[in-house]
Amino acid sequence: MVKVLNKIVNRIKIMFSKSPDLVVKVIDANFFSKIYVVYLETVTSSDKVNEYILKEFILKKNEVNKKNITSYVAGANVKKINNIDLCEFYLTNGFAIVIMGNCLFGVECRADINRSITEAKVESSINGPKDAFVENIQINIGLIKRRLKSSKLKIENLYLGRKSLTNISIMYFDDVADLEMVKKIIDKLNIVDIDGIVDSSTVGFLLTGENNSIYPTFMETERPDIVAKCLLEGKVAIVVDTTSSVIILPAFFIDFINPGIDNYNKSKNVNFIKILRFTAFLISMMAPALYIAVMNYNQETIPTSLLINFAIERGGVPFPTIIETLIMLFVCEILRESDLRFPSSYGSAISILGAIVLGEASVSAGIASPITIIVISITFISSLTFTNIELNNALRYFRIIFIVLAGLFGLYGVTLGLFYFLIYSTSTYSMNINYFAPISPFNKEYFFESVLKEGVLKNNKRSSLFTKKNLTKMKVKKWKRFLYWLG
């Protein structure tokens, strides 16, 4: 028996050779048998191993045998291991392996190596909950389940990565979500053969295709309340261990323009903000192109006095308008990148200082005109409305397309660019649903959920974009609605 026991322990030692955090404890149960406790002290709590296993075994070692060994383990999660090859999985996931004879048991003793729950930093909101996801999958699922207390909320667990064995949980309501979409997501992930998954964006790229579109076709959020709301709509959430953001599928263009935190404000007030964001998107995308078209080709579209002022301001600038605009855009992109990479405590201050100094110096040196600085400033201020980096990258792509077309054809080129933008956007898909929904194709329920916001009592239907069943979210009788309206 001891020989068999030694073989198992030796195999684990060989498996984790050159791993100084491997700990093997030996307890003499009686004259004929020994108990081995094996764990990795970097991911396993030594205090929990002491409390759950060693303390009981040492005090009552003469009573312990293979049949009753689990009775002397205080741990809440005890798994019987039938295959020694599974020891690697359990050890690296914070389990302590108890070996007695040819019996193996895994006892969960995970070390607390998680950061505490903090406020959302990227998707901050004045109103609404303040908690945000962390890097622990169990805590993240708990934050979601804290809001959705239903047995209909289902979780499918997968492990991806030959070396990382990353835990991935797919969450959905089985009485609301499209089960064909859920099956498609699971099937796609099951055929993935990769060394490791260390972040959620890799999972998103594997599901939606990294190079299929310049748009972000999956949404990543750090807010549990947004995930809960999307699950109620019939979407699917994918929680990835070691990542502080959750993937939501499908995701549309409008989801990145008007975020879910708008729901914490009154509909009449927030609709103005929603329209303002659309305007900011168009300004950020088209303002430089319109400036180039007007200055080079279509001077008749602006008043003569204003055109004379523009000509005076541009006097002495050695570059054509398109070259001048591209130079300033390039400088602003450098400033944006430096702002993103610098620590937040002084990154913004440096970028603002750089913009002021460079703008003033450019005008003084005759490299750029004041009107160009104004146009570029408005363009970048408008783009700051959107926090999603991928959406800003898409904006940059379309901005360059518009500038080139405007430099070649004037306002006619801007019109061609607008057609290209609409064709490209309506030809993009997220999980086989058109990316420009609910505008094209039009869907009334989701239109008044995302593009514009209507009152809570009117928002009582789920969108047929995500599900064909259980479409009623809220039932309110008409006479009660009238009384509610009267206050």
Side-chain angles (χ1 to χ4, degrees):
M1 189 68 65
V2 176
K3 289 182 179 178
V4 174
L5 190 63
N6 286 334
K7 284 182 180 179
I8 295 173
V9 175
N10 287 336
R11 182 168 173 184
I12 293 175
K13 285 183 175 180
I14 293 169
M15 192 184 298
F16 288 92
S17 62
K18 296 185 179 180
S19 296
D21 57 336
L22 182 70
V23 178
V24 180
K25 297 283 187 182
V26 185
I27 302 170
D28 292 317
N30 51 57
F31 185 77
F32 298 102
S33 61
K34 296 178 183 292
I35 301 174
Y36 287 77
V37 180
V38 185
Y39 63 95
L40 297 172
E41 61 181 350
T42 49
V43 293
T44 307
S45 169
S46 298
D47 292 337
K48 290 180 181 178
V49 173
N50 260 344
E51 188 68 26
Y52 297 166
I53 305 170
L54 298 179
K55 185 177 177 181
E56 291 293 322
F57 284 173
I58 291 172
L59 291 175
K60 301 175 182 179
K61 59 183 178 181
N62 294 326
E63 303 172 17
V64 179
N65 56 59
K66 291 190 293 183
K67 294 181 180 179
N68 66 3
I69 188 171
T70 54
S71 303
Y72 292 92
V73 176
N77 189 8
V78 181
K79 307 251 185 205
K80 185 172 182 181
I81 303 173
N82 297 317
N83 188 344
I84 191 174
D85 293 329
L86 293 174
C87 288
E88 179 183 9
F89 171 81
Y90 283 106
L91 285 170
T92 53
N93 277 278
F95 280 71
I97 305 296
V98 179
I99 307 169
M100 187 174 189
N102 55 1
C103 296
L104 287 83
F105 296 91
V107 183
E108 186 175 359
C109 304
R110 298 179 197 267
D112 187 11
I113 51 177
N114 306 303
R115 66 183 174 97
S116 59
I117 298 171
T118 57
E119 290 189 18
K121 298 188 182 299
V122 178
E123 301 169 86
S124 58
S125 173
I126 297 173
N127 302 321
K130 305 300 181 185
D131 53 345
F133 291 122
V134 294
E135 287 78 15
N136 185 292
I137 190 170
Q138 298 300 332
I139 294 175
N140 292 344
I141 292 174
L143 289 172
I144 298 170
K145 283 200 165 187
R146 183 182 178 185
R147 290 166 168 82
L148 302 173
K149 303 174 180 67
S150 172
S151 61
K152 298 294 185 182
L153 181 60
K154 304 301 180 184
I155 301 175
E156 302 278 353
N157 277 327
L158 300 172
Y159 290 91
L160 281 189
R162 293 188 298 271
K163 290 181 169 54
S164 66
L165 286 174
T166 305
N167 189 6
I168 296 173
S169 295
I170 301 162
M171 303 183 69
Y172 61 96
F173 276 105
D174 66 345
D175 61 335
V176 177
D178 182 0
L179 298 183
E180 287 295 323
M181 183 190 297
V182 176
K183 184 178 181 300
K184 184 177 180 180
I185 291 171
I186 295 172
D187 291 344
K188 277 191 172 184
L189 292 177
N190 278 330
I191 62 174
V192 171
D193 186 16
I194 191 173
D195 273 348
I197 300 287
V198 293
D199 66 301
S200 58
S201 59
T202 304
V203 177
F205 294 146
L206 290 170
L207 287 171
T208 61
E210 183 175 359
N211 298 318
N212 289 346
S213 173
I214 59 169
Y215 283 121
T217 48
F218 62 92
M219 186 166 71
E220 288 184 284
T221 180
E222 59 178 348
R223 297 184 62 101
D225 55 320
I226 290 180
V227 175
K229 179 179 174 297
C230 290
L231 286 170
L232 289 171
E233 288 293 330
K235 296 186 179 184
V236 180
I238 302 173
V239 189
V240 181
D241 198 14
T242 71
T243 303
S244 60
S245 57
V246 171
I247 295 172
I248 297 173
L249 288 171
F252 304 138
F253 172 79
I254 193 63
D255 295 326
F256 301 97
I257 299 291
N258 292 331
I261 56 177
D262 287 348
N263 294 311
Y264 298 119
N265 299 309
K266 288 185 176 181
S267 56
K268 289 184 178 180
N269 296 332
V270 81
N271 282 337
F272 171 76
I273 304 299
K274 288 177 179 287
I275 295 170
L276 191 66
R277 288 200 199 101
F278 271 109
T279 307
F281 184 87
L282 293 174
I283 289 173
S284 180
M285 183 172 62
M286 299 173 60
L290 288 171
Y291 169 64
I292 292 169
V294 167
M295 293 300 294
N296 288 353
Y297 293 94
N298 305 95
Q299 292 92 346
E300 71 278 2
T301 58
I302 58 176
T304 305
S305 58
L306 186 60
L307 183 63
I308 292 171
N309 288 335
F310 285 173
I312 294 171
E313 292 292 343
R314 290 206 74 254
V317 177
F319 306 112
T321 308
I322 185 170
I323 301 299
E324 177 190 5
T325 303
L326 288 173
I327 289 173
M328 297 312 299
L329 282 173
F330 183 74
V331 171
C332 288
E333 291 293 347
I334 293 174
L335 287 171
R336 183 205 291 273
E337 188 65 18
S338 66
D339 192 22
L340 288 173
R341 304 306 167 197
F342 265 69
S344 58
S345 56
Y346 55 88
S348 297
I350 288 178
S351 62
I352 292 170
L353 178 64
I356 294 172
V357 171
L358 286 173
E360 183 67 27
S362 299
V363 173
S364 300
I367 298 173
S369 63
I371 184 61
T372 304
I373 300 296
I374 293 171
V375 170
I376 300 302
S377 299
I378 293 173
T379 299
F380 270 83
I381 290 171
S382 300
S383 70
L384 293 177
T385 309
F386 313 105
T387 58
N388 187 277
I389 294 176
E390 290 296 333
L391 183 64
N392 274 300
N393 292 338
L395 259 176
R396 183 191 302 128
Y397 170 80
F398 285 117
R399 190 182 300 130
I400 297 299
I401 295 292
F402 271 96
I403 287 172
V404 172
L405 290 173
L408 293 173
F409 307 109
L411 289 179
Y412 177 67
V414 175
T415 306
L416 289 177
L418 191 59
F419 277 119
Y420 174 73
F421 164 73
L422 292 173
I423 293 169
Y424 188 96
S425 300
T426 53
S427 302
T428 303
Y429 290 85
S430 176
M431 301 305 295
N432 291 332
I433 304 176
N434 197 289
Y435 191 69
F436 223 52
I439 300 172
S440 175
F442 180 76
N443 181 270
K444 177 185 175 183
E445 290 79 17
Y446 201 61
F447 182 89
F448 288 107
E449 178 77 20
S450 55
V451 181
L452 296 175
K453 183 177 183 291
E454 60 183 1
V456 176
L457 289 176
K458 292 182 179 180
N459 184 18
N460 56 3
K461 296 287 185 181
R462 288 189 180 86
S463 171
S464 57
L465 289 170
F466 314 117
T467 181
K468 305 298 181 187
K469 55 189 178 182
N470 203 2
L471 294 176
T472 302
K473 292 195 292 187
M474 178 173 56
K475 295 180 180 179
V476 181
K477 293 182 178 179
K478 291 184 178 180
W479 65 271
K480 287 186 177 181
R481 186 183 297 178
F482 178 71
L483 292 177
Y484 182 86
W485 179 76
L486 288 177

